[in-house]
Amino acid sequence: MKRSEVDIKKLSPMMVQYMEIKEQYKEEILFYRVGDFYELFFEDGELASRELELTLTGKNAGLEERVPMCGVPFHSVKPYVEKLVNKGYKVAICEQLEDAKDNKKMVKRGVTQVISKGTVVDLELLNEHDNHFIASIEDFTYIYTICYADISTGSIYVSILPHQKEKLISTLLNLGILEVVLKNKEDYNLIATLKGSYGIEVSICEEELEGKYTAIYDSLEEEHYIHAIKHLLYYLVVKELKDLSHMKPAEVIIPDDYLMMDVHTVRNLELIETLRLKERTYSLIWLLDKTKTSMGSRKLKYWLMNPLKNKEKIIERYNKIEKLNSEFILKDTLRNSLYQIYDIERLCGKITCGTLNGRDLLQLKISLKELPTIKEIMEQLHFKETIKTHENIYNLLEQAIYENPPVTIKEGYLIKDGYNKELDELKSIRSGGKEFIASFEAKLKEETGIKNLKVGFNKVFGYYIEITKGQLGNVPETLHWERRQTLTGCERYISPELKEKEAMILNAEEKIIDMEYKLFCEIKETIKKELLELKDTANQIALLDAITSLAVVAEEYHFVRPELNETHFIDIKNGRHPVIEKVSNFEYVKNDCVMDSSINTLLITGPNMSGKSTFMRQLAIIVILAQMGSFVPADKANLPIIDKIFTRIGASDDLVSGESTFMVEMKEAKNAICNATEDSLILFDELGRGTATYDGMSLAESILEYVSKNIRCKTLFSTHYHEITKLEHKIPSIKNIHVSAVEENGTLTFLHKMKNGAVDKSYGIHVAKLAGLPEEVIKKAEEILKEHENEKAKEPKKEKQIQFTMDLEDKPKDDMKEKIKKIDPLHMTPMDALNFVYELKEEIKNR
């Protein structure tokens, strides 16, 4: 049964309400709160039952046929929502906005939040190491403007990109964008690529938000930025019902301020995940991340993905690392304090997004407790940054929030004793009903003088005052007691005060929960007033944690402070690949990399598996580390400021778009050639191997020559085409180097050491032997190799013979030439022509 097929007039009142709400959220899966369950109906119910593996049942809705329905308990809804969102669906949460006990009519309901891939704010559903970005893209035909935000942290950024789809997609992938908002569906190719190839959710929204949250973009003058921000804000605020009062002013990102790396470079260098398993473990960020906070971890990743080009800012980070490692006692104390700090950024997000609970406030209090210590350490280190300690918020939380609050905020036991007098009284009544009865009874005996007066309780009449009939005359009329029950020997009364206390006692639990929730909301609003200052503090903590992590890495792995030059000079002594060095079971072989201003290209030859690719990656990683402000894995490093890094490493088919290995190679090569500058770094690993030998060799040589002569940037070019090594003599800026290996008694040993000059042998069969191929295969390959080598050895003789023959034929008095000149093809029959050709052939054969 479909929703569109139903006659709404026949539905029950509750289902009519559902239909009206669902009409406003057609694209979303609507979780409709009914008591202790969220229920899903019609197409939503059928889809959810299939995707979440729930039982599809039916519900009586006033129709002859039961409507399709499935449901989940409200207290365990998170994993179901997470599963749907991860599959690309949007979820609308419809809550009961009134208490059913207080309303005899239909309970008012409404959607309180819409959750999509890019707008999850629940900490349990987020990766602590990564930002959770949603982006809007404005296409101005000559540029793209991209605005991206992480509403869980309150960060928002805006940038202008060239009108190149490859650049746009590369930026989205590097940022880890989960959802993109476009203004229309016109760019079908872009939508198909984002959704089909990369799993990025695409939403369409045409409008821009006016007159709200203007503080986010008030300081900006560029209209392109403002339009992009307003576009994203409309989607978040109107479409997804987000409160963005915690958002910081937008930060403008100028791409030219940072070292540019496309998505291929990030993947090939395994900066944030490994190529094979797509996991963080054994990536470069895995090695670098010694942070103690989630905020610091995200900041460190941001630095890695956005290395600086500003020399002063880079040196400032070097100085801090040096200072921290020289003050190692302070550094250890600082790390201990940082370890106590929770994710303040995302806690601030929860304060405005309506998902805050008592445990979140407890985490905030624990975090704030460490700020005075951190502030003092920063002053001792003479860091210019300052941290506000927020004593007023800490004191408020210390006075108000229990040390072990419940998960939800409507269970009670949130607020400490002594924080609110009225709440304390309610708690006293709840825990001490008997004590109240005894004290109230004693009070009445004293006021009336009736010594046998009793205060009791039964389920029918509740609390009562019992007076024996002999004492009835002693009850003062001014007390205004009301007779409630007559018994044989006594009368039972109630008084206004007793009735009031009775209501308080019987309803104390419910009132306590309501009052604690009210007080909790008041505390939340108080904190909300300092939200932007708290976020500034969180940012300072993140910066401090990230730089401390780099200091720990520098000390633990023996990194050195690099020098920066402006003369295009690379001088690395005993450089290492830090991740391979960390995970290898063998001693890592260090290598120098020296390229003075006269050398632009190192042409690398050597056997497979000898370490050519590692050497190339090693240089790129050292450059990236140096420009993100980190020390580097070497004994010494003197480096220029690089503006862009391009890599073509490894073979990979793009199966999604149907592109072959060679096509991918050529596209990546084209990207480098068309975008590199004199200040760039290019890594080409065995370029051209994806096609036929001579095609590949020709292209490789041509590309290398073009890069060396026209771009003149620093380039590492590894190859098995040994013929290319002759370019060293043709182009002075190219230098041959090779990875050494020793062959002894048919056994190949890799030395992994770079040496000057070229090699003319690849040792491919030896590598196959090391890989464990069957002996029969190895022997056959050696036989075939010898055959090819023998054939090749004969080739020069053939050329000489051909040359000799040609010399004979070129004699001016050659009789064959004379015969050919004498014939008249126009007057020959086909048979005559055939005979003539046959005679010529026989004569050549005889010669």
Side-chain angles (χ1 to χ4, degrees):
M1 182 188 300
K2 294 184 179 179
R3 188 166 52 89
S4 59
E5 299 171 349
V6 172
D7 184 354
I8 195 170
K9 296 177 182 177
K10 296 181 180 180
L11 291 173
S12 62
M14 191 194 79
M15 287 305 297
V16 170
Q17 184 189 58
Y18 167 83
M19 296 287 274
E20 291 171 349
I21 294 172
K22 178 62 184 174
E23 188 64 24
Q24 301 172 49
Y25 297 92
K26 295 178 181 178
E27 296 180 1
E28 292 78 12
I29 297 175
L30 184 63
F31 278 62
Y32 185 76
R33 179 75 177 269
V34 181
D36 290 339
F37 282 82
Y38 287 106
E39 296 182 352
L40 301 94
F41 303 106
F42 299 107
E43 293 94 332
D44 284 357
E46 292 173 350
L47 186 149
S49 68
R50 182 177 65 252
E51 297 286 3
L52 301 175
E53 299 178 4
L54 299 172
T55 302
L56 184 67
T57 61
K59 188 179 184 76
N60 293 322
L63 305 174
E64 294 181 5
E65 184 182 351
R66 287 157 62 90
V67 302
M69 183 204 83
C70 67
V72 297
F74 84 96
H75 57 79
S76 60
V77 71
K78 286 181 183 178
Y80 296 105
V81 171
E82 179 187 15
K83 192 171 183 180
L84 287 173
V85 169
N86 286 339
K87 290 188 173 188
Y89 297 105
K90 295 180 184 178
V91 173
I93 305 294
C94 180
E95 298 285 6
Q96 295 180 175
L97 304 179
E98 299 173 329
D99 195 324
K101 293 183 288 185
D102 301 332
N103 199 324
K104 296 180 181 179
K105 298 180 181 179
M106 174 66 61
V107 175
K108 185 179 178 181
R109 293 181 175 87
V111 172
T112 57
Q113 60 175 319
V114 177
I115 306 169
S116 59
K117 256 190 179 181
T119 58
V120 176
V121 293
D122 196 312
L123 296 187
E124 295 176 17
L125 308 181
L126 296 173
N127 185 328
E128 63 178 339
H129 301 297
D130 300 326
N131 280 104
H132 205 82
F133 284 130
I134 179 173
S136 74
I137 298 171
E138 292 259 19
D139 186 347
F140 291 99
T141 67
Y142 57 96
I143 57 167
Y144 288 113
T145 304
I146 175 173
C147 174
Y148 53 100
D150 181 348
I151 62 173
S152 71
T153 65
S155 305
I156 185 166
Y157 307 90
V158 64
S159 183
I160 288 177
L161 301 176
H163 201 265
Q164 302 168 4
K165 280 187 184 172
E166 295 86 354
K167 174 69 174 173
L168 174 65
I169 292 171
S170 182
T171 300
L172 295 175
L173 294 177
N174 280 352
L175 288 169
I177 301 293
L178 298 165
E179 183 177 359
V180 163
V181 186
L182 302 176
K183 280 202 167 180
N184 54 59
K185 297 181 179 180
E186 291 178 4
D187 198 336
Y188 300 109
N189 290 334
L190 177 62
I191 293 173
T193 301
L194 294 177
K195 294 187 73 171
S197 300
Y198 301 112
I200 298 174
E201 189 59 32
V202 178
S203 301
I204 306 299
C205 172
E206 298 180 2
E207 298 87 347
E208 296 180 3
L209 187 68
E210 300 290 346
K212 198 172 183 182
Y213 300 119
T214 56
I216 293 175
Y217 54 83
D218 270 347
S219 61
L220 304 180
E221 297 180 359
E222 174 61 63
E223 287 296 320
H224 296 100
Y225 292 151
I226 295 172
H227 283 299
I229 294 170
K230 286 182 176 180
H231 180 221
L232 182 59
L233 292 182
Y234 185 91
Y235 179 79
L236 293 174
V237 174
V238 178
K239 294 283 189 179
E240 303 234 331
L241 309 175
K242 305 300 180 187
D243 181 350
L244 302 182
S245 54
H246 67 300
M247 299 293 282
K248 295 184 291 188
E251 181 179 344
V252 176
I253 302 297
I254 300 173
D256 284 344
D257 289 346
Y258 302 94
L259 167 61
M260 193 281 286
M261 302 179 290
D262 61 17
V263 66
H264 308 296
T265 299
V266 172
R267 287 177 176 172
N268 288 334
L269 298 178
E270 299 183 305
L271 298 185
I272 56 176
E273 65 179 17
T274 57
L275 277 169
R276 180 171 293 181
L277 299 178
K278 308 294 183 188
E279 292 180 352
R280 194 174 194 265
T281 304
Y282 304 131
S283 67
L284 184 59
I285 189 64
W286 165 79
L287 182 92
L288 296 177
D289 195 349
K290 307 291 183 183
T291 58
K292 295 295 185 179
T293 70
S294 301
M295 303 173 291
S297 182
R298 292 192 294 272
K299 182 65 70 177
L300 187 68
K301 180 184 176 184
Y302 177 81
W303 285 358
L304 178 61
M305 296 295 289
N306 297 275
L308 300 167
K309 287 164 60 179
N310 185 297
K311 188 175 179 180
E312 287 72 27
K313 290 182 180 179
I314 296 171
I315 290 174
E316 184 182 337
R317 291 182 188 171
Y318 293 165
N319 292 337
K320 287 182 177 178
I321 292 172
E322 236 173 27
K323 184 67 174 176
L324 283 163
N325 282 339
S326 66
E327 300 284 355
F328 54 89
I329 295 176
L330 285 177
K331 181 180 72 176
D332 290 344
T333 306
L334 175 61
R335 296 190 79 215
N336 290 335
S337 289
L338 289 170
Y339 185 67
Q340 302 299 320
I341 293 181
Y342 289 85
D343 198 338
I344 299 175
E345 271 189 330
R346 283 182 169 162
L347 289 174
C348 288
K350 293 190 76 173
I351 288 171
T352 57
C353 295
T355 57
L356 190 77
N357 60 38
R359 294 184 182 181
D360 295 327
L361 289 185
L362 184 64
Q363 290 180 0
L364 181 59
K365 186 192 82 171
I366 293 169
S367 301
L368 297 181
K369 185 179 180 181
E370 297 298 323
L371 295 185
T373 302
I374 293 173
K375 182 179 181 181
E376 184 181 344
I377 293 172
M378 290 180 71
E379 289 171 353
Q380 291 180 44
L381 291 168
H382 304 294
F383 286 179
K384 66 180 183 181
E385 293 84 2
T386 58
I387 287 182
K388 187 175 180 179
T389 52
H390 305 282
E391 290 94 341
N392 55 334
I393 296 179
Y394 173 77
N395 292 331
L396 172 65
L397 296 176
E398 174 65 20
Q399 294 168 12
I401 304 299
Y402 268 129
E403 301 302 329
N404 188 26
V407 176
T408 68
I409 55 177
K410 292 192 176 180
E411 294 181 27
Y413 301 97
L414 273 173
I415 308 298
K416 281 183 176 179
D417 297 341
Y419 179 73
N420 180 276
K421 186 176 180 181
E422 185 180 350
L423 179 62
D424 289 345
E425 187 176 346
L426 284 170
K427 289 180 179 179
S428 175
I429 292 171
R430 180 181 63 183
S431 61
K434 292 181 180 179
E435 289 82 354
F436 165 73
I437 296 296
S439 62
F440 186 68
E441 184 178 286
K443 175 187 170 186
L444 290 181
K445 285 180 179 179
E446 186 177 342
E447 289 178 355
T448 62
I450 303 173
K451 301 301 180 183
N452 60 355
L453 177 150
K454 293 180 181 179
V455 177
F457 174 83
N458 66 37
K459 292 183 179 180
V460 178
F461 297 107
Y463 287 98
Y464 57 83
I465 305 166
E466 185 175 287
I467 306 292
T468 60
K469 290 194 175 180
Q471 297 290 335
L472 289 179
N474 295 327
V475 177
E477 294 183 6
T478 55
L479 294 176
H480 303 293
W481 289 1
E482 178 184 338
R483 182 181 281 109
R484 179 55 62 93
Q485 187 179 19
T486 300
L487 299 176
T488 304
C490 61
E491 296 284 342
R492 289 178 175 173
Y493 297 85
I494 60 171
S495 70
E497 184 182 3
L498 183 60
K499 204 63 187 171
E500 182 183 346
K501 293 294 184 183
E502 175 191 70
M504 289 182 68
I505 292 169
L506 296 179
N507 299 314
E509 186 69 38
E510 187 177 333
K511 288 187 176 182
I512 286 170
I513 291 173
D514 290 342
M515 181 167 286
E516 288 203 350
Y517 177 70
K518 179 183 176 184
L519 293 171
F520 179 85
C521 292
E522 290 175 0
I523 293 168
K524 183 172 74 171
E525 290 302 313
T526 301
I527 298 172
K528 208 170 179 181
K529 293 174 184 176
E530 284 194 37
L531 212 54
L532 293 181
E533 292 178 344
L534 269 173
K535 291 181 71 62
D536 287 338
T537 299
N539 186 53
Q540 294 299 329
I541 293 292
L543 291 169
L544 186 60
D545 195 17
I547 203 71
T548 305
S549 177
L550 293 180
V552 172
V553 168
E555 184 178 42
E556 185 175 338
Y557 300 124
H558 309 293
F559 287 10
V560 298
R561 175 172 178 156
E563 297 177 37
L564 302 177
N565 66 70
E566 298 176 2
T567 58
H568 283 233
F569 185 77
I570 293 178
D571 183 11
I572 297 170
K573 301 297 184 187
N574 288 327
R576 293 127 44 205
H577 189 300
V579 179
I580 296 177
E581 182 184 34
K582 166 74 174 174
V583 302
S584 177
N585 296 322
F586 306 98
E587 184 178 354
Y588 188 86
V589 178
K590 305 172 184 178
N591 273 299
D592 298 347
C593 182
V594 181
M595 301 173 75
D596 59 30
S597 54
S598 65
I599 299 297
N600 291 330
T601 303
L602 293 181
L603 183 53
I604 310 167
T605 50
N608 289 307
M609 288 179 58
S610 61
K612 298 191 301 296
S613 298
T614 298
F615 178 75
M616 298 172 76
R617 288 186 172 101
Q618 176 178 305
L619 172 61
I621 285 173
I622 287 174
V623 167
I624 291 167
L625 287 174
Q627 290 187 218
M628 73 177 282
S630 169
F631 286 13
V632 300
D635 291 350
K636 176 188 172 184
N638 194 333
L639 303 164
I641 299 291
I642 299 295
D643 66 350
K644 302 173 185 177
I645 296 180
F646 300 94
T647 64
R648 170 58 226 167
I649 300 175
S652 58
D653 291 358
D654 189 346
L655 298 178
V656 175
S657 59
E659 292 179 347
S660 67
T661 297
F662 184 64
M663 177 59 81
V664 173
E665 271 193 79
M666 291 300 102
K667 282 194 169 184
E668 292 181 16
K670 169 243 178 185
N671 182 41
I673 290 170
C674 294
N675 294 292
T677 72
E678 189 179 5
D679 296 321
S680 300
L681 173 64
I682 295 178
L683 309 180
F684 281 151
D685 187 19
E686 298 183 31
L687 190 69
R689 65 181 170 181
T691 187
T693 303
Y694 291 111
D695 278 354
M697 184 171 65
S698 303
L699 280 165
E701 183 172 342
S702 176
I703 289 170
L704 179 56
E705 189 170 337
Y706 180 88
V707 170
S708 299
K709 288 183 175 179
N710 295 282
I711 303 175
R712 298 188 299 279
C713 64
K714 296 299 184 187
T715 304
L716 266 58
F717 197 108
S718 75
T719 185
H720 282 297
Y721 300 133
H722 304 294
E723 294 83 352
I724 299 178
T725 57
K726 65 187 179 184
L727 286 175
E728 181 185 49
H729 308 293
K730 183 179 177 183
I731 304 173
S733 63
I734 294 178
K735 178 182 178 181
N736 285 327
I737 62 173
H738 70 276
V739 193
S740 57
V742 176
E743 185 182 2
E744 189 174 355
N745 299 325
T747 301
L748 185 67
T749 303
F750 298 126
L751 301 181
H752 304 292
K753 196 71 178 176
M754 287 291 169
K755 295 186 177 180
N756 291 331
V759 295
D760 58 0
K761 195 172 183 181
S762 292
Y763 300 100
I765 293 177
H766 293 81
V767 174
K769 193 173 183 180
L770 288 174
L773 261 65
E775 187 65 26
E776 183 180 349
V777 174
I778 299 296
K779 287 183 177 178
K780 183 64 177 176
E782 289 173 342
E783 291 173 9
I784 296 171
L785 177 62
K786 286 179 181 177
E787 290 177 11
H788 287 305
E789 287 175 342
N790 291 335
E791 288 176 8
K792 187 174 182 181
K794 294 176 183 178
E795 285 179 6
K797 294 178 181 178
K798 288 183 178 180
E799 290 175 2
K800 289 180 182 177
Q801 183 64 41
I802 292 169
Q803 183 66 43
F804 178 73
T805 305
M806 293 298 292
D807 287 344
L808 288 175
E809 292 177 350
D810 285 340
K811 289 181 179 180
K813 295 183 179 180
D814 192 306
D815 54 345
M816 290 180 68
K817 282 187 178 181
E818 294 300 321
K819 282 184 180 181
I820 294 171
K821 284 181 182 179
K822 290 178 181 177
I823 66 168
D824 184 1
L826 296 177
H827 293 87
M828 292 178 74
T829 65
M831 186 57 71
D832 291 338
L834 187 61
N835 289 332
F836 181 76
V837 171
Y838 179 76
E839 289 173 6
L840 286 177
K841 182 180 176 183
E842 288 299 310
E843 190 170 342
I844 292 170
K845 187 188 294 185
N846 293 333
R847 287 188 180 186

